[in-house]
Amino acid sequence: GAVVSQHPSRVICKSGTSVKIECRSLDFQATTMFWYRQFPKQSLMLMATSNEGSKATYEQGVEKDKFLINHASLTLSTLTVTSAHPEDSSFYICSAIINGELFFGEGSRLTVL
Amino acid sequence: GQQLNQSPQSMFIQEGEDVSMNCTSSSIFNTWLWYKQDPGEGPVLLIALYKAGELTSNGRLTAQFGITRKDSFLNISASIPSDVGIYFCAGAPFTSGTYKYIFGTGTRLKVLA
């Protein structure tokens, strides 16, 4: 069964609004989670590493003020896309590590109008 | 961000044929993972490899961790229509006590019945 759950699966918003995506680990505690972004017909690009109880670590070129990550508990990490614009439309996928293996959530399709 | 070279980019095969794809990297990796992604969903882990030279099977799937630690391949035997999807490799050097996986460019597989 699934070990990582993500919500919402789809969201459509107006330009300038903020959108929050939740990622939960099911039946295990995840001190570290990873957020990936995937454009159509492309690979997965790591955006940031979410660390429980501390600041997220962002990959080069990812704006930390645009993509706010909060990892307030051992089972929940959230990604907030602030002041979203059409170019932020993408497929966002979270993941967590179990015994060195990376398991993904279902993904969240964001469409910014 | 960094990506692994994965080939072929896409392939059309007849049902029942065997399929082979591979990934190469300029860096040494400690772990290789292979995923399958269906449209609109998160990637699903197929096989994990941890040791150079390791050969691991999962049903009709077989994957190997290259001796140089810079490559890996995935074979699918006797393909069936439900094998359609995008296959990604992912590799990770183990640094700072966590795994930051880098993904391949993907192989899009289409199976003709």
Side-chain angles (χ1 to χ4, degrees):
Chain A
V3 296
V4 179
S5 179
Q6 202 170 329
H7 177 80
S9 58
R10 293 178 180 271
V11 57
I12 300 173
C13 69
K14 293 182 178 180
S15 184
T17 61
S18 294
V19 174
K20 180 185 287 187
I21 301 170
E22 294 185 347
C23 179
R24 297 183 183 274
S25 59
L26 307 178
D27 299 324
F28 74 99
Q29 295 180 334
T31 56
T32 302
M33 290 186 177
F34 302 89
W35 286 94
Y36 286 81
R37 182 175 183 176
Q38 186 179 31
F39 289 108
K41 297 186 178 182
Q42 294 191 20
S43 185
L44 288 78
M45 301 300 293
L46 179 63
M47 298 175 65
T49 302
S50 173
N51 304 299
E52 189 271 334
S54 65
K55 291 182 179 180
T57 305
Y58 291 82
E59 295 301 301
Q60 190 174 7
V62 178
E63 299 176 58
K64 62 180 181 180
D65 295 329
K66 160 67 86 174
F67 300 101
L68 299 179
I69 291 173
N70 184 280
H71 197 148
S73 78
L74 288 169
T75 59
L76 175 64
S77 174
T78 61
L79 169 68
T80 301
V81 183
T82 63
S83 186
H85 291 283
E87 58 265 29
D88 297 324
S89 298
S90 188
F91 193 53
Y92 294 89
I93 324 174
C94 70
S95 60
I97 294 277
I98 302 176
N99 296 327
E101 298 177 4
L102 193 64
F103 291 90
F104 285 90
E106 304 91 334
S108 298
R109 169 82 55 198
L110 171 64
T111 302
V112 184
L113 302 177
Chain B
Q2 184 180 356
Q3 287 185 332
L4 302 176
N5 294 318
Q6 188 172 342
S7 64
Q9 188 174 21
S10 63
M11 52 196 316
F12 287 79
I13 61 169
Q14 292 287 338
E15 182 177 0
E17 290 184 346
D18 296 344
V19 176
S20 183
M21 60 192 78
N22 67 80
C23 275
T24 59
S25 169
S26 57
S27 304
I28 292 175
F29 288 147
N30 286 338
T31 307
W32 283 95
L33 305 178
W34 283 93
Y35 290 88
K36 179 176 185 281
Q37 185 179 30
D38 291 325
E41 298 181 13
V44 174
L45 182 63
L46 299 174
I47 292 180
L49 301 161
Y50 299 102
K51 293 171 57 177
E54 178 183 358
L55 185 71
T56 298
S57 294
N58 178 8
R60 293 180 294 106
L61 279 62
T62 301
Q64 185 162 27
F65 193 143
I67 291 291
T68 64
R69 308 180 73 95
K70 293 183 177 181
D71 62 338
S72 177
F73 72 75
L74 174 71
N75 286 340
I76 304 173
S77 63
S79 58
I80 59 178
S82 61
D83 290 333
V84 166
I86 304 175
Y87 292 80
F88 290 102
C89 61
F94 185 74
T95 56
S96 303
T98 186
Y99 290 85
K100 289 175 63 174
Y101 280 94
I102 302 166
F103 278 75
T105 46
T107 295
R108 188 177 299 269
L109 179 64
K110 296 189 178 182
V111 180
L112 306 175

